[in-house]
Amino acid sequence: MKVSFCTLGCKVNQYESEAMAEMLASEGIDIVPFGEKCDAYIINTCAVTAEAERKSCQMIRRAFSHNPDAYIAVTGCVAQLFPDKILKIPGTCFVTGNTNKMLAAGKVASFLRDGKTQKGDEEKKELRQKAAEAEGLNGQTTFGSLRNADTTQFEAMSVSLRQDKSIY
């Protein structure tokens, strides 16, 4: 089983990606350079500029082009600020913001171990409602809006479009 990381942005993202890679490696999962065909990809995004946001979305598409069957988990500031936008990118299976970033590695490990992730129908309904309520929080990426990327407004939000597609 192979996992690849693409990390954009700050040193905090670099550190957290390294921590997730170590966690997965400790479970016997091979960590390979981004660009290789893998079973799963973790994209740690940045939203400090519009260009960083564009590159973050581009890397998700690139991972999908490397292996359309791979599990793609997206985390970081773009995932925090624009979870609905990220879920619309083909191949995206899991989205989590900054406060639950380590969940991305856990979801990837579960997927590789079990081959699936599941949520109950009641939980899906409740989490879709939370996502709808939070939808108005999304806006243009500016330095001012980055302050919101570190809040817990999206912390409990989860939307499942399929059994293996969710936002946390």
Side-chain angles (χ1 to χ4, degrees):
M1 296 178 289
K2 297 190 294 186
V3 174
S4 182
F5 284 81
C6 179
T7 305
L8 298 108
C10 65
K11 288 183 181 185
V12 172
N13 278 2
Q14 296 291 330
Y15 173 80
E16 291 169 335
S17 289
E18 288 176 26
M20 287 186 277
E22 287 176 13
M23 182 187 118
L24 293 169
S26 73
E27 295 190 29
I29 297 168
D30 294 326
I31 308 302
V32 299
F34 189 75
E36 290 189 24
K37 185 174 181 179
C38 295
D39 302 298
Y41 298 87
I42 296 178
I43 314 298
N44 197 345
T45 63
C46 175
V48 74
T49 66
E51 179 66 10
E53 183 184 330
R54 184 193 68 75
K55 284 183 180 179
S56 295
C57 294
Q58 181 183 34
M59 292 301 108
I60 299 165
R61 289 183 193 92
R62 188 169 294 165
F64 181 69
S65 72
H66 292 307
N67 183 3
D69 296 323
Y71 188 88
I72 300 174
V74 183
T75 188
C77 292
V78 175
Q80 181 81 31
L81 292 169
F82 309 106
D84 294 332
K85 175 182 178 179
I86 296 302
L87 267 179
K88 290 177 185 174
I89 298 173
T92 304
C93 299
F94 178 77
V95 176
T96 186
N98 290 317
T99 55
N100 292 317
K101 195 173 278 191
M102 294 305 284
L103 281 177
K107 286 289 188 176
V108 165
S110 293
F111 176 79
L112 294 175
R113 186 176 45 251
D114 304 333
K116 61 182 175 180
T117 58
Q118 295 182 319
K119 293 214 164 285
D121 289 336
E122 283 302 309
E123 185 179 3
K124 287 180 190 178
K125 184 178 177 182
E126 176 186 334
L127 296 170
R128 279 192 189 106
Q129 179 63 34
K130 286 180 183 179
E133 291 169 6
E135 192 171 309
L137 299 174
N138 296 337
Q140 294 276 344
T141 301
T142 64
F143 286 105
S145 68
L146 286 179
R147 181 176 51 81
N148 292 332
D150 292 327
T151 67
T152 58
Q153 291 171 338
F154 290 108
E155 184 175 54
M157 180 174 60
S158 175
V159 177
S160 292
L161 300 181
R162 302 184 317 214
Q163 284 187 340
D164 64 343
K165 271 193 141 174
S166 53
I167 299 175
Y168 278 84

